[in-house]
Amino acid sequence: MEKANNSYWLKTRKFFNDIHLWAGLISGLVVFVVCLTGTIYVYNSEIRELGANHLYKVDYQKGLGKITPEAAIEKVRQQSQGAVTTILIEESKKRPYQITVREEGSQSRFGTIYYVDPYKGTILGNSNEHNSAAEFMGYLFSLHRWLLLDKIENPLIGELSNRTLGSYITGAATILFTLGVITGMVIWFPQRVRNFRQGLKVKFGKSWKRTNHDLHNTLAFYSCIILFLMGVTGPFWSYPWYREGLQKTLGTYKPRVGQGPGPGNPSAGQGRRGQQAPSTGKESELPLSIFEYISSADAVLDYPGNYRISLPQGGGKNLNIQKSKIGFFAPAASDRVVLDMETADLTEKDIFREKPFNVRVSSSIKALHVGDVYGQFSKFLYFLSCLIATSLPVTGTLIWINKLKKKRARKKVRPVSQIKTMKI
């Protein structure tokens, strides 16, 4: 009976090993590029800010008061041509007001962000300024999502756009990568429980082949959950059928109306802290101060955090405030309240933690993919996991090459049974 079980396990393991091998070999090069760029892109926001540090940090002196958000907005109105759509007010005393303006004729989907010193009232600059770090991250994102094919003007295949082609390639490679993660876990799991601990250690000092084998298996095991989350969410922006299938699986699918998130939209499906496309038109005048609206929001959202206030456009009567927590372990999801513009009374609230689990997962697809789930804590874990994922195609290929060499060596050695005895 035990022999039969062993035989069945060996056949099952070989089947999954073959899938794991070919999925890795076919997608290896693309996965290496996608994971390498993804490792760096985990800290996209931080790198962009480093490239324009003067926009994001202000000098703070104790006892120095801030100008009102209305005064900052007025400063921006005098310099820009367009409607103010949002203002970001952060909890940190060393951060500027960030005011988004939708200017007529602007090519930006999200408008122009003006950075205002809250103490001096001076405009530090805007998001249209040249930023070498932001330009680098833009190319990095293009390599990650489309393999830089979007930089080629003429279509390479028929009428299919190069951006779509690149998205299909990275999406297919990510699906194979996810398949590799699943089959790899089956292969890793030992036949006997007593051998379990051996798969949790990397053995150094014996041979580089053994060390390479352990690096591939052990590091993949420790990061398998995050690797699975990255892999299963990746094709969300590559294939409409995959996006719909994932949403239907989560029970959150709704037919798209008009132009929605597609393969080229990196913020598709996030519903999180990310900036939303602003409305057009002239903003409505506020009868109360912004700090009064914030005070009303704090009655519902009683925790320290950052505020993103969307100003009513074209005669709107409600004010939308999003608030997100701060801290090393702070969840990235923001809560939202809608206030009556005349009285600051609460008309609607949307608390993320109160939503059903499937809705929270569905609205966190981007956060689950890039690691922006629990602040810097999850980002660090994703950085390490993505670095491990970058190494897997390399270590896996070396394991395959070493096995091929062993097979060739065995074929060259003649079995003893075939050696003829010499007659004396």
Side-chain angles (χ1 to χ4, degrees):
M1 187 67 180
E2 185 177 353
K3 290 183 178 180
N5 290 335
N6 290 343
S7 178
Y8 177 77
W9 167 251
L10 290 174
K11 289 180 180 178
T12 303
R13 196 172 187 275
K14 184 181 183 305
F15 173 73
F16 280 99
N17 185 76
D18 290 342
I19 297 176
H20 185 81
L21 171 64
W22 290 108
L25 290 177
I26 294 171
S27 64
L29 183 60
V30 176
V31 167
F32 177 82
V33 172
V34 169
C35 290
L36 179 61
T37 53
T39 303
I40 304 171
Y41 204 80
V42 168
Y43 290 106
N44 169 52
S45 300
E46 290 79 1
I47 293 173
R48 287 174 180 268
E49 288 193 13
L50 282 175
N53 195 48
H54 66 286
L55 297 179
Y56 294 94
K57 290 187 178 181
V58 296
D59 294 327
Y60 166 70
Q61 296 179 2
K62 191 174 182 180
L64 193 63
K66 288 185 176 183
I67 66 172
T68 64
E70 289 84 358
I73 290 174
E74 186 58 34
K75 285 274 187 180
V76 171
R77 282 199 185 110
Q78 293 174 5
Q79 183 167 321
S80 65
Q81 299 293 327
V84 176
T85 58
T86 62
I87 176 171
L88 175 64
I89 304 174
E90 299 191 51
E91 179 73 13
S92 174
K93 294 180 175 62
K94 298 181 180 180
R95 302 283 289 184
Y97 291 136
Q98 297 183 35
I99 300 171
T100 304
V101 176
R102 184 67 174 180
E103 298 173 325
E104 294 183 8
S106 173
Q107 299 298 318
S108 173
R109 293 172 53 245
F110 300 114
T112 302
I113 301 175
Y114 287 82
Y115 302 85
V116 181
D117 189 316
Y119 304 106
K120 300 177 182 178
T122 56
I123 296 178
L124 304 173
N126 62 63
S127 57
N128 290 334
E129 295 180 8
H130 175 72
N131 182 342
S132 56
E135 186 176 347
F136 168 74
M137 295 308 294
Y139 275 96
L140 193 75
F141 180 77
S142 172
L143 181 59
H144 179 78
R145 287 290 293 114
W146 308 298
L147 303 177
L148 292 179
L149 293 181
D150 60 311
K151 305 300 181 183
I152 303 175
E153 293 184 4
N154 298 325
L156 299 175
I157 300 178
E159 297 181 356
L160 184 68
S161 71
N162 292 330
R163 172 176 288 200
T164 303
L165 174 62
S167 183
Y168 285 170
I169 295 173
T170 57
T174 306
I175 291 174
L176 290 174
F177 172 78
T178 308
L179 191 61
V181 172
I182 297 171
T183 54
M185 285 306 301
V186 176
I187 299 167
W188 179 92
F189 198 85
Q191 185 177 356
R192 296 176 182 177
V193 178
R194 66 171 178 266
N195 297 328
F196 186 84
R197 291 186 178 180
Q198 294 181 6
L200 301 177
K201 300 178 182 178
V202 178
K203 299 177 181 65
F204 294 98
K206 289 190 175 182
S207 69
W208 74 267
K209 294 179 182 179
R210 180 63 188 180
T211 301
N212 179 76
H213 185 275
D214 287 347
L215 286 172
H216 185 82
N217 291 350
T218 305
L219 295 183
F221 169 78
Y222 283 121
S223 58
C224 65
I225 295 177
I226 293 179
L227 297 183
F228 176 78
L229 291 175
M230 288 191 300
V232 80
T233 54
F236 186 89
W237 297 278
S238 293
Y239 306 109
W241 60 265
Y242 189 95
R243 179 170 55 252
E244 292 179 9
L246 188 58
Q247 290 172 338
K248 288 178 180 178
T249 302
L250 293 170
T252 58
Y253 173 73
K254 292 180 181 179
R256 292 168 59 192
V257 179
Q259 183 65 31
N265 183 5
S267 59
Q270 68 176 330
R272 306 279 287 186
R273 184 181 289 177
Q275 185 177 358
Q276 298 176 353
S279 304
T280 57
K282 183 175 177 57
E283 72 272 15
S284 303
E285 295 295 330
L286 300 178
L288 303 177
S289 71
I290 288 179
F291 282 136
E292 287 180 281
Y293 294 116
I294 288 177
S295 179
S296 182
D298 283 342
V300 182
L301 310 174
D302 186 18
Y303 54 81
N306 300 328
Y307 305 88
R308 183 180 296 278
I309 302 163
S310 300
L311 303 182
Q313 304 291 309
K317 297 182 179 180
N318 291 323
L319 190 75
N320 190 310
I321 298 181
Q322 288 179 289
K323 188 175 182 180
S324 52
K325 295 181 180 179
I326 56 174
F328 187 75
F329 293 96
S334 60
D335 299 318
R336 182 177 66 91
V337 294
V338 180
L339 306 176
D340 183 278
M341 195 169 65
E342 297 291 335
T343 63
D345 291 336
L346 179 71
T347 62
E348 182 184 341
K349 68 176 181 177
D350 186 13
I351 310 301
F352 186 78
R353 69 174 180 273
E354 296 178 356
K355 295 179 180 180
F357 178 74
N358 64 320
V359 176
R360 281 182 283 163
V361 172
S362 183
S363 61
S364 304
I365 296 297
K366 183 185 178 185
L368 289 170
H369 184 68
V370 302
D372 188 16
V373 183
Y374 281 100
Q376 294 299 322
F377 172 70
S378 61
K379 279 193 171 188
F380 181 68
L381 292 182
Y382 267 70
F383 172 80
L384 292 179
S385 298
C386 209
L387 194 61
I388 290 171
T390 306
S391 72
L392 294 180
V394 179
T395 54
T397 302
L398 289 175
I399 291 173
W400 175 64
I401 292 173
N402 289 331
K403 286 183 177 181
L404 285 181
K405 289 180 178 179
K406 283 184 179 180
K407 288 182 179 180
R408 289 172 183 171
R410 287 172 185 170
K411 288 181 179 180
K412 290 180 180 180
V413 178
R414 295 175 61 189
V416 178
S417 60
Q418 292 182 7
I419 300 176
K420 296 182 179 179
T421 57
M422 295 179 62
K423 293 182 179 181
I424 300 176

